[in-house]
């Protein structure tokens, strides 16, 4: 009924390094609907990050098609992909990936900077999100001056700033202690409750229980795709 | 479409460079040295050039100067004996023939120039006595300060009158009004009728110097008067006693009507003199040729300066490239993050180019300021003339900035072409 946010059709990804050819994704099909919270699991090297990079428009498929919100992006050029990343994708990384010389507000504003959003507008939006993430006291601080949990909150605020249709998180709690990790996961739950579409890579089975859909990978193939949430609205 | 306003790019560049203050400063130093050395060199060069040009111009670009030159006396003269009277140099015949055969001649000024003791009351000193024509004043572009110059009447009657230079007036007549006073030139009495000055000519600073240089210290008398009183023969004192020398004319100044006729006139002059003289006991100086030579020298000078300047600016550019490459490789992760968050390649290129531009422009401006101060300081502390010219500033600045941008493109492109996934994974 609804247009899916993510639709992969026989998606295949090969890495070619000279004579060496690695197939990271072996023709997978995957559909994620609006408002879904999906978790990707699998052993190291099974292709989880490759999938996330493709979903985040950082890379091209070798074969197959990728429809993001109904738009086929397989054939887009580099500039068009950049545009899509800045407007439709929110990234949350395991190692936060904040820009060290920028303060909290400036870091949150980066995606808007590349959209050409006027500075005062961007500033307002960044302040609002920072407040929501509980960072009101830290607006002028550099990432180095923040704890891991605070840095990840900045990163989440940054990923939300452009109202993305798809949020991608690669082990967002991997660098955090369990208590702080728990807080971050609760934040993500909140976002999900608000209707955000989230795809998260994790190793942790406990974390997987929070999600509605669990997709398991092995050697570049989906070995299970389990729906354990309530029926979609 | 992404549309980033330049002022935001500049702001970002400031912030990014702020991380590396020391490094940015050192990089700028390279550009500062380059720009300031170029400006300083060009200013000193232009100053030297103008000084030479002025000097030559003062000789008169329409003039041809001919001087008598004593050639080494050939020991085996006639009959192997040294003649009693050494006779050489320009003659009255030369004067007549040059007047007749040199085309487009406007004035021909004969000059006798000899060194004599001159005396006013008890004050005496040694200086040049110039015996010449009334039109000498105009030919040499001198100014009458007081009184009058020599006249045709003086010439006709061989009047014992003289005109003196400003410096001589000051030294010899201090406390007196020279006009109307009697000046003794080696026993002969002359009445001072005028004072002339040559503003452009620098004066010798030493106050007690008796041996003076320059026209400001000379005495000018009518040619005819000297001829009548002294003739053409004089005694040249030397170690082994004295020898008689006979010189009819010491100098001739030929003034040509137009500059473009000077070259053909010079040919005629050389032809006449070659015919009249067995030995080359004369020299021909053409200020116009000197000007041309000076221009040629300057052209060479400019090429050499330009090469040095280019090298120093390129060294500055390489410095920039070096720093930007280091900066880019330290910020690979940042590039990955920015790309993931929506930066296009062109945004990354622009970001790093803007940082380069900021470094080179600020370095360039500081370089210009220091480059302007150095020549001013040189002129203030020494008597070397320097001239600040707009082209020097413009060339130094624009070349340094464009060199930096050219050298900045490679690091910036390298940053932009990086694979964002690889860049994100970079530690
Ligand atoms: N840039 C690359 N070049 C070559 N091979 C790669 C590259 N990136 C990933 N791979 C390979 O693709 C496979 C999947 O990797 P990845 O998606 O990172 O796995 P995961 O994130 O599940 O650990 C692995 O075999 C990995 O070695
Ligand atoms: Mg991985």
């Amino acid at each position: 009924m609804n247009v899916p946010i993510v639709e992969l059709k026989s998606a295949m990804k090969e890495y070619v390094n000279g004579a060496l050819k690695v197939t990271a994704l072996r023709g997978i099909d995957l559909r994620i609907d609006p408002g879904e919270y999906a978790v990707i699991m699998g052993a190291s090297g099974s292709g989880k990050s490759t999938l996330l990079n493709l979903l985040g428009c950082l890379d091209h498929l070798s074969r197959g098609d990728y429809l993001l919100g109904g738009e086929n992006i397989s054939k887009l050029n580099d500039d068009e992909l950049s545009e899509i990343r800045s407007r439709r994708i929110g990234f949350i990384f395991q190692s936060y990936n904040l820009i060290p010389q920028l303060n909290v507000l400036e870091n949150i504003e980066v995606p808007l900077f590349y959209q050409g959003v006027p500075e005062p507008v961007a500033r307002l939006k960044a302040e609002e999100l920072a407040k929501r993430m509980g960072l009101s006291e830290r607006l002028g601080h550099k990432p180095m001056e923040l704890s891991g949990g605070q840095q990840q909150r900045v990163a989440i605020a940054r990923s939300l700033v452009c109202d993305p249709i798809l949020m991608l998180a690669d082990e967002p709690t991997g660098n955090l202690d369990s208590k702080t990790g728990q807080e971050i996961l609760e934040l993500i739950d909140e976002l999900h409750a608000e209707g955000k579409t989230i795809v998260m890579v994790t190793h942790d089975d406990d974390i997987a229980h929070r999600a509605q859909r669990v997709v398991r990978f092995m050697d570049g193939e989906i070995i299970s795709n389990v729906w354990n949430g309530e029926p979609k609205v | 479409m992404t549309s980033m306003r330049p002022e935001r790019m500049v702001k970002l560049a400031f912030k990014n460079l702020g991380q590396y203050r020391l490094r940015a400063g050192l990089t700028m130093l390279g550009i500062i040295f380059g720009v300031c050395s170029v400006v300083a060199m060009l200013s000193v060069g232009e100053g030297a050039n103008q000084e030479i040009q002025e000097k030559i111009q003062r000789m008169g670009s329409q003039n041809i100067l001919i001087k008598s030159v004593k050639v080494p006396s050939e020991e085996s003269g006639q009959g192997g004996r040294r003649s009693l009277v050494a006779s050489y140099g320009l003659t009255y015949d030369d004067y007549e023939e040059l007047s007749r055969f040199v085309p487009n001649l406007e004035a021909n000024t004969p000059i006798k120039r000899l060194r004599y003791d001159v005396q006013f009351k008890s004050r005496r000193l040694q200086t040049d006595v110039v015996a010449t024509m009334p039109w000498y004043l105009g030919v040499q572009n001198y100014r009458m300060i007081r009184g009058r110059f020599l006249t045709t009447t003086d010439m006709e009657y061989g009047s014992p009158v003289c005109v003196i230079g400003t410096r001589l007036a000051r030294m010899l007549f201090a406390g007196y009004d020279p006009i109307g006073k009697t000046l003794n030139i080696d026993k002969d009495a002359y009445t001072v009728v005028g004072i002339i000055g040559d503003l452009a000519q620098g004066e010798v600073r030493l106050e007690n110097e008796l041996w003076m240089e320059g026209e400001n210290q000379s005495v000018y008398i009518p040619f005819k008067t000297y001829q009548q009183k002294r003739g053409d023969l004089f005694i040249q004192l030397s170690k082994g006693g004295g020898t008689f020398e006979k010189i009819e004319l010491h100098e001739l100044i030929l003034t040509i009507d137009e500059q473009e006729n000077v070259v053909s006139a010079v040919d005629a002059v050389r032809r006449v003199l070659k015919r009249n003289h067995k030995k080359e006991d004369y020299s021909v100086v053409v200020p116009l040729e000197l000007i041309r030579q000076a221009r040629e020298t300057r052209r060479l000078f400019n090429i050499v300066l330009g090469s040095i300047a280019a090298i120093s600016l390129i060294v500055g550019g390489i410095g920039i490239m070096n720093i930007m490459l280091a900066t880019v490789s330290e910020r690979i992760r940042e590039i990955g993050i920015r790309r993931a968050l929506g930066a296009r390649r062109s945004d990354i290129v622009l970001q790093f180019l803007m940082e380069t531009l900021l470094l080179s422009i600020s370095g360039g401006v500081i370089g210009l300021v220091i480059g302007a101060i150095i020549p001013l300081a040189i002129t203030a502390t020494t008597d070397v003339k320097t001239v600040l010219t707009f082209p020097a500033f413009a060339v130094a600045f624009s070349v340094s900035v464009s060199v930096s941008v050219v050298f900045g493109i490679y690091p910036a492109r390298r940053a932009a072409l990086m694979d964002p996934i690889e860049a994100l994974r970079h530690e």
Side-chain angles (χ1 to χ4, degrees), chain A residues 95 97 101 106 114 119, chain B residues 2 11 15-16 333 339:
Chain A
S95 48
N97 277 343
Q101 70 267 30
E106 290 162 344
Y114 291 112
E119 220 176 344
Chain B
T2 320
K11 220 167 125 184
K15 189 156 284 153
N16 290 340
R333 182 94 174 221
R339 294 278 281 134

Side-chain angles (χ1 to χ4, degrees), chain A residues 44-45 48-50 170-171 201:
Chain A
S44 176
K48 307 182 297 291
S49 296
T50 302
D170 197 345
E171 298 195 48
V201 168

Side-chain angles (χ1 to χ4, degrees), chain A residues 53 58-59 78-79 82-83 85-86 91 95 97-99 101-102 106 110-111 113-114 117 119 158, chain B residues 2 4 8 11 15-16 19 331 333-334 337-345 347 351 421 424:
Chain A
N53 289 337
L58 283 167
D59 211 347
D78 195 83
D79 279 1
S82 300
E83 177 87 8
R85 287 198 295 273
S86 91
F91 279 104
S95 48
N97 277 343
L98 302 176
I99 297 173
Q101 70 267 30
L102 303 182
E106 290 162 344
V110 171
F113 181 79
Y114 291 112
V117 173
E119 220 176 344
R158 182 180 65 186
Chain B
T2 320
M4 263 175 311
R8 295 181 73 181
K11 220 167 125 184
K15 189 156 284 153
N16 290 340
Q19 299 176 91
R331 288 159 66 188
R333 182 94 174 221
E334 176 189 334
I337 298 167
R338 289 184 180 277
R339 294 278 281 134
L341 299 181
R344 295 173 304 182
R345 286 193 174 131
D347 293 328
Q351 176 186 330
I421 299 169
L424 272 173

Side-chain angles (χ1 to χ4, degrees), chain B residues 5-286:
Chain B
R5 301 232 287 294
E7 75 264 20
R8 295 181 73 181
M9 293 300 289
V10 173
K11 220 167 125 184
L12 177 65
F14 261 113
K15 189 156 284 153
N16 290 340
L17 288 174
Q19 299 176 91
Y20 315 102
R21 293 221 175 85
L22 177 66
R23 187 193 284 181
L26 290 173
T27 313
M28 263 159 57
L29 219 52
I31 299 160
I32 291 170
F33 279 130
V35 170
C36 104
S37 64
V38 170
V39 170
M41 276 192 298
L42 289 177
S43 304
V44 171
E46 182 59 26
N49 173 55
Q50 285 194 8
E51 206 155 22
I52 291 169
Q53 296 256 351
E54 268 170 29
K55 261 185 192 146
I56 297 169
Q57 213 86 46
R58 221 181 299 132
M59 288 196 269
S61 53
Q62 279 152 262
N63 288 347
I64 299 169
L65 314 178
I66 314 168
K67 294 187 176 182
S68 292
V69 175
K70 185 172 185 175
V71 289
S73 58
E74 63 311 14
E75 293 298 323
S76 52
Q78 284 150 322
R81 261 181 58 210
R82 201 177 183 171
S83 59
L84 207 60
V85 178
S87 172
Y88 63 91
L90 301 165
T91 63
Y92 299 125
D93 284 348
D94 291 334
Y95 173 69
E96 299 293 338
E97 282 190 37
L98 288 171
S99 292
R100 205 175 318 136
F101 293 122
V102 173
N104 306 309
L105 190 65
E106 203 169 75
N108 192 351
T109 317
I111 293 162
K112 279 178 173 288
R113 184 192 293 275
L114 290 133
R115 207 154 253 286
Y116 280 108
D117 279 343
V118 295
Q119 188 175 2
F120 170 66
K121 293 189 187 290
S122 61
R123 295 176 204 163
R124 73 193 278 144
L125 46 79
Q126 201 177 47
T127 191
D128 270 5
V129 172
V130 177
T132 185
M133 299 293 176
W135 56 86
Y136 179 84
L137 186 73
V139 165
Q140 287 289 62
N141 273 326
Y142 290 156
R143 290 186 320 125
M144 242 16 254
I145 305 284
R146 298 198 40 209
R148 62 168 179 86
F149 198 65
L150 311 172
T151 61
T152 42
T153 322
D154 296 334
M155 293 298 295
E156 256 173 59
Y157 296 103
S159 324
V161 294
C162 69
V163 172
I164 58 176
T166 47
R167 191 173 152 77
L168 186 71
R170 206 165 336 118
M171 295 198 65
L172 213 52
F173 291 90
Y176 296 89
D177 178 3
I179 307 289
K181 298 284 182 308
T182 301
L183 179 72
N184 283 313
I185 301 176
D186 192 29
K187 309 284 186 321
D188 299 332
Y190 287 80
T191 306
V192 179
V193 294
I195 303 173
I196 62 168
D198 172 12
L199 270 193
Q201 192 139 29
E203 288 193 9
V204 185
R205 285 209 195 92
L206 299 169
E207 205 54 52
N208 301 321
E209 195 74 59
L210 287 185
W211 190 265
M212 299 177 297
E213 310 273 357
E215 299 281 306
N216 276 338
Q217 290 88 51
S218 302
V219 181
Y220 302 87
I221 60 171
F223 193 86
K224 182 97 169 284
T225 313
Y226 184 86
Q227 246 181 336
Q228 286 173 353
K229 285 190 194 293
R230 296 277 161 159
D232 303 323
L233 215 62
F234 59 95
I235 298 171
Q236 183 73 43
L237 290 171
S238 62
K239 265 189 215 153
T243 53
F244 284 102
E245 287 197 353
K246 181 174 178 246
I247 302 173
E248 294 181 359
L249 292 173
H250 290 84
E251 295 170 22
L252 274 173
I253 302 176
L254 274 59
T255 308
I256 310 302
D257 59 352
E258 296 290 340
Q259 257 186 35
E260 58 258 40
N261 295 328
V262 169
V263 174
S264 59
V266 169
D267 288 341
V269 168
R270 290 194 204 277
R271 229 178 301 121
V272 169
L273 292 176
K274 196 155 206 144
R275 179 147 39 86
N276 288 359
H277 293 252
K278 280 201 213 74
K279 296 177 289 185
E280 206 173 292
D281 51 358
Y282 58 88
S283 75
V284 181
V285 178
V286 186

Side-chain angles (χ1 to χ4, degrees), chain A residues 145-187:
Chain A
E145 300 156 5
L146 302 176
S147 71
Q150 286 170 327
Q151 288 191 55
Q152 196 59 295
R153 282 162 190 275
V154 176
I156 293 172
R158 182 180 65 186
S159 74
L160 287 170
V161 80
C162 57
D163 292 320
I165 61 165
L166 177 62
M167 299 194 63
L168 301 170
D170 197 345
E171 298 195 48
T173 58
N175 283 8
L176 300 172
D177 62 72
S178 61
K179 186 174 162 291
T180 320
Q182 202 62 33
E183 288 169 16
I184 295 296
L185 289 170
E186 278 162 19
L187 251 174

